Structure formats: structure tokens, C-alpha cells
Amino acid sequence: MGIDATTHAANAHLTTPTRLTGSEILWATLVGEGVDTVFGYPGGAILPAYDALRKFPIHHVLVRHEQGAAHMADGYARASGKVGVAIATSGPGATNLITGIATAMLDSIPMVCITGNVPSKVLGTDAFQEVDITGVTLPVTKHNFLVSRAEDLAAALRHAFQIARSGRPGPVLVDITKDAQQASAIFDFEAAKPRAYRPHPMLTVEDSGLAQAAELIRNAQRPVILAGHGISESGAMEQVRTLAERAQIPVGLTLLGLGSFPASHPLSLGMMGMHGEKWVNDAIQEADLLIACGMRFDDRVIGTPATYAPKAKKIHIEIDPAEINKNVKADVALVGDLRAVLEELLPRISGRDGSSWLKWIDARKGESAVRDIKNLPDSGHLYAAHVMHDLWRMTGGNAVVVTDVGQHQMWEAQYYHHEHPRTLITSGGLGTMGFALPAAIGAKFGCPEKEVWVIAGDGGFQMTAAELSTIVQEKLKINIAIINNGYLGMVRQWQEFFYDRNYEATPLVSPDFVKLADAHGIPALAVRTRGEVAAAVEQARAAEGAFLLNFLVEKEDSVYPMIPAGKALHEMILRPGKDPLEERADD
Amino acid sequence: MLHTFVAYVEDLPGVLTRVASLFRRLNININSLTVGRSERQGLSRLTLVCEASSEAGHRIRASLYKLENVVDVDDIAQAPSVTRELALIKVAATPKNRAQIFDLVEVFRARIVDLTSESLMIEMTGVESKIEGLIEVLREDDGRILEICRSGKMTMRRGHHTSGVLRALGAGIAEVAEPEEDRVAAQPE
């Protein structure tokens, strides 16, 4: 992809200091940082950089909207573990990135965004397409840079990559004035290396803390491990598994933790929190010890702090000291890289018998399972849960699934069982609708050999549907499943539960997605009954290029179980027990 | 409670915005903020005072450290320290009633730094309560104060190697314990 005979010359820049333009320095530095793919959209203030691009072995993916570029860089990073790079011009190009940057910030995703800006001599004059993007993105980036001299560019970019990757990862923006792109300077990649990364000065893992944690684990009767996103970020899958297996501790997962502990593992409880299964939340409320691994006690996970796990001591293993005692008070805080902390903790952990606690939890699984729609006879209706379940079965749980935000996202989390990290890509913290399609494009570039599925609602899909063209232009094999219920489903569900079914602004008219796909040259099928699901999924998988499936599911189905916002974990609304649509007296 | 943070930050454009923005985001009002050059080249030292819950101190300090340009943060809390504020106060005064103000200035150990036929300027350094005291007395005479300019608090821990600041800066005294007796001895106030 775009690699030609200039590769050698480009790499030569990295070893021999050379005079280059700012634009060339930009790409040469990216090459040096290991970047081979960027997602962007050109424009006036970034044109000098685009003009120099052809000399470097970097594949540029032209997006249809800069928000898409940011989500693609994000999806690329989530799928590959590498830093994603998005590029945009000044003004509207830069502001269009913001939703994507905030999405990455909330989920701690390593990403570098590059924006052009007006020439430095007119900065601050409201020049055409000027916006103070470093000012605007200050609260949604880990850090940002304004570079107005070519000689500062390499160091700023290298520092940006270091910041994005290190500690708790996050997005960094580098804003480069047009004159800095045009000017020339000596490019010395080695000399531009940032100072050694300085870990957060408040990281403390004291021996006494480890001893206390080991003691709590040894004496716990009803312990639960809370597995979060930090596990895959830190690469601590084996360590968490060893801890769970050695001490026979069941594992509940956050949404972003899914995949970090195998769903099929006997100790896996599944997802916790607002739409977690009742047995998971019951176990947490009943627990006498919680071992939080790389998670931040988000409000969607704890309900309310006052009622959360009242009987439990809490061990919080976390890389960000600012997370300690933020939402839930920790009894033992081990502040450091999860993998490193667990490596220190594990030698102090010995086998224990957890059977009675595991039996207690198991007994609770049964009562939930019988209410599960998956276990009810086929009524001829198509439920989203069926689609997820079938998709999981047919892909062997091995696909990289990129979801949007809403009901389908929760159904995916409940019914697609992830065995491996980085196989569920979803916007957890910010909950960004429109994320799935562009993030999946990034994910496909991040792991081209994997089967990638987009799962999106009819609402969120339309927010960024323009990126279908990007899929076609890049000839990507991505399968798209639209869970189409004609509503902004999750909002409708809240209206049903908490606003007297006043369905204000949630019914949604959509285009015929099959025709929309067709207009892009993407083959597509509509699926209306459960019986058609398997064949349709098979057809999509077998297709050479992208394929779109429009699943016309039950319109007023809701995600169960559910903790109403502001309620405690044990105050869940349970599944109705039989066909939820037939149970309503007034329908 | 009142929190006092001392931070060393890089002396670069926009750094103060980043610090201030953190407090804005946490919805915490900054009572006072003083910034100036420090003993270390390229680093500014700031003293920031704010009102927040007693548990907020840890999170504020940890969050300040997350700012790339923040090199060191010390939460002074209740530690023995010296805090000073500088005030410039312009007071309406004619040759007739100056003498009374001169007496006041003497009592408060302040100084007159400017004198015209209609007004004079008082410079005063001290703890907040002392400055408040002078202002209160001056206000007893209605309309006498024309302008007040206050620097906000500046704080430094007592004793030589007692500062967490120095330790974190790695200024060659990494693990020097804080000698308790030093703190006590050095409080002549």
C-alpha cells in the first residue's frame, strides 16, 4: 500500500540529519514512530503536508468527514494496540475531529491527531478557517502542542507519541502552522527523542499494600475480580487469569473489559453494571472483597456509590492515581501498571477453596437463564438478541466486532461472547453514536487478517454512513449488521421506563439501507425472521468485499436486565420472563 | 476546607490555562493564584489556594501531575509553612488627615510608597488576617480606600530539606527525612 522506491530514502532521513521542509519532517517523523497508515482529510492549511506525502511510505485513507478520521485512528489503535493517527486541516477540519478525540480520551486510547493551522503571523486574527484548536481540545486531550517553527516539529511529534502511549494512554493533538510546514530545518530524528518517560510521581505500590492485598484475598469468603479495560492496555490477561484460577475468584467484566478474560472460562461471570446479568451484580453486592483490575468504577458499573457493594473491602489496582477514591473508596490502592503489580502480587497468593461462593453464584444463574429470550421458543419474531447469538455462533466468537452505541451495543455485550482482548471495539465512556462504521475501518487496517463486523443501530449508523464510500474506495472486507428497529431504541426504552412512554423524537425514518448500500456498490440483504439469519450471515461472510445486512428487528424490544440510573445494583429491572411484547397489558 | 498547592510548572505559553482549566473542570473556584520565576531555570512556581472538600486534595494533586507541563506538586495542607501576601492600598488623604494614616501604617508595620496631595499608597506584606485588619481599619473611615491590589498567597514550607517539592524534583536530596524539630524551631512568628 503506497510503498515504493522512495522508502529507502525516507528511512535514510532517520539515520542521517538532513535539511527537510516541515511537511517532510512531519511524515519522516511518523515513519520513524512506526506509522504506516493515517486517516485524514486535506484542506488549505494542511496542503503543504499533503504535497509531501507521496515521498513517504505511508498509506493515507481519505475519509468522508473528519470525525470519521478520528474514529478510524481510534479503531486502529484499539484493534492493533498501536498509536492511531488522524490528520485534518484547520478550522472546521480540526473541530470535526473533536467528538472522536473526546471518545478516545474517555476510553484511554493512544492516538495522535495532526491539524494544520493558519500561518503563525496571522494566528489569533480570525483568519480564514482559523480556530484555536489547542484551546478547544485542551480538556479532551492528554496534551496538545502548537508548533509554529519547522525546527520544533520533530521533537513535538515524538513527544506526542510518547505521551499518547505511556502511562494511561490517551489522545494528543499537534497543531502545525502552515509556515512551519513550508519552512525547512535540519531533521535529526535521534536528537528529537523526548526525555525518558517520567511515570506519574504518585504511583505507589508498597510492600505493605501488597501484603495487605494478599491478606484480604486469603481471608475473603466471597471475592470478585472486576476486570476492566486496563487489562488489555497493560497486557495483563495471563496475570489476571492466574490470579482468578489460583485463588478461585469469579471475574465480572466492564464493557471495555470484555475479551480480557475469556467468556467461556468457568470463572467468568460476564458483564457487570447497568445491563449486566443479575447474578453478576448480585455477586458484587454480596461480595466481601472486590479486586478492581484496571477499571474506574464508572457510574454505569456502580449504580450509586452509596449503595455499591456495601459488604466488600476494595482493592483497587490502577495506573492513574487520580482514579483512586474518585468514585468508590479503596481499602488498598496499588497504583501502578496492572501487569507489573500483579506480577508482584501473585507470588503471595496461594490456592484457596472458592467452591461454596461459586455455587452460590451459580444457583443465581438459573433463574435468569429461564427468562432469557435466547432460551424461548421461536415466536417468528426477530429479536436483536437472536442476531447477536447467531452471529457469535457462526463466527466462532473470533470476529472483531465494532459496535455503535445504544441497545444493540448492550445486546452485543450480552450475547456475543468474547474470548480474546481487542475483539470488542466500542465507545464505552463517551458513548459516541456514529462510532462503529469508521472505527471498524480503522480496526480493519489495524488487523487486516481478522474478520471485522460492524454492529450499529439504524440511528447511529446514519450519523456516519458516509464512510461507506471510504470502505469502497479502500476495497475493505467489512461486514455490516444494522439492527434496525425504527427507533432511537435506547432512548425509546428510557422513555418507556421513565417517561410514561412519551416517545418524543425517537421514531426514526431511515432510507432503505439495502438500496443505500447498493448505491455504494456494496451488496446487501434485508433480514426479517430468525430463520433467515444464519444464511444471511453466511452470505455476508462469504462475499469477497463488504456486505451489509439490514436486520429488521422487533421495534419495541428493550434491553434487560437494567439498573435504572441512580439505583443500586440489586434494584434491577428483570427480564419480563416471556415474550416482552406480548406481556404488556395495554398494547 | 482551604487547600494550598505549590506547583512547579514549565514557563511556556498556555501552561497557566491548563492549570486553571483543571479547576474549572472540577467546578472549583480558585481563591488566589500567584505565579513567578523559581530557583530553577525554565520553571515557574505557583501557589494556588482553593476551597474544596477535604477528600479533594488527593485528586487535585494527582490530576495536576497529569498535566504534561507540571513538574511538581506539593499539597501544603496543614504542614508547617510560611504564607505571605502583598497588598498595595491607595487611600484618599490630604495633608490634613495624613498623620492619622501614618500612625496606622506604623502600627501595622506597613510602608508608604507613594504620596500625592490627594492620596497615598500603602504597601503591606503579611499574612492574610493582618492585611484584612489594616483594610478593615482603613474602611472605618467611609470612602477612604480608593484602590486595593492584592497578590494572593505565596506559600513555602518551613525548614531546609523538608519540602516534598525538592524530593520530587530529585534535587540530589532524594530521601532526606523531614526533621520534626527543625519545623518547630523555625517558627519565630
Side-chain angles (χ1 to χ4, degrees), chain A residues 168-188:
Chain A
R168 180 179 180 173
V172 182
L173 181 134
V174 184
D175 191 29
I176 311 167
T177 62
K178 194 170 184 180
D179 53 324
Q181 298 167 45
Q182 289 162 329
S184 67
I186 299 294
F187 174 61
D188 186 342

Side-chain angles (χ1 to χ4, degrees), chain B residues 13-24:
Chain B
V15 172
L16 206 52
T17 309
R18 293 175 194 276
V19 173
S21 185
L22 171 66
F23 289 85
R24 174 191 55 73

Side-chain angles (χ1 to χ4, degrees), chain A residues 134 138-139 141-145 159 162-163 168 195 198 200-202 320-326, chain B residues 10 14 17-18 21-22 24-25 57-59 61-72 168:
Chain A
T134 47
L138 192 145
T141 50
K142 204 174 160 192
H143 190 61
N144 59 29
F145 296 87
H159 197 181
Q162 183 192 53
I163 294 168
R168 180 179 180 173
R195 274 176 303 188
R198 183 195 66 157
H200 194 295
M202 290 164 74
D320 182 354
E323 291 295 347
I324 303 300
N325 298 337
K326 187 177 87 175
Chain B
E10 289 180 290
T17 309
R18 293 175 194 276
S21 185
L22 171 66
R24 174 191 55 73
R25 203 203 146 186
H58 167 85
R59 184 159 171 233
R61 182 163 174 250
S63 301
L64 278 168
Y65 264 128
K66 284 165 73 174
L67 301 176
E68 198 57 33
N69 303 109
V70 173
V71 176
D72 188 63

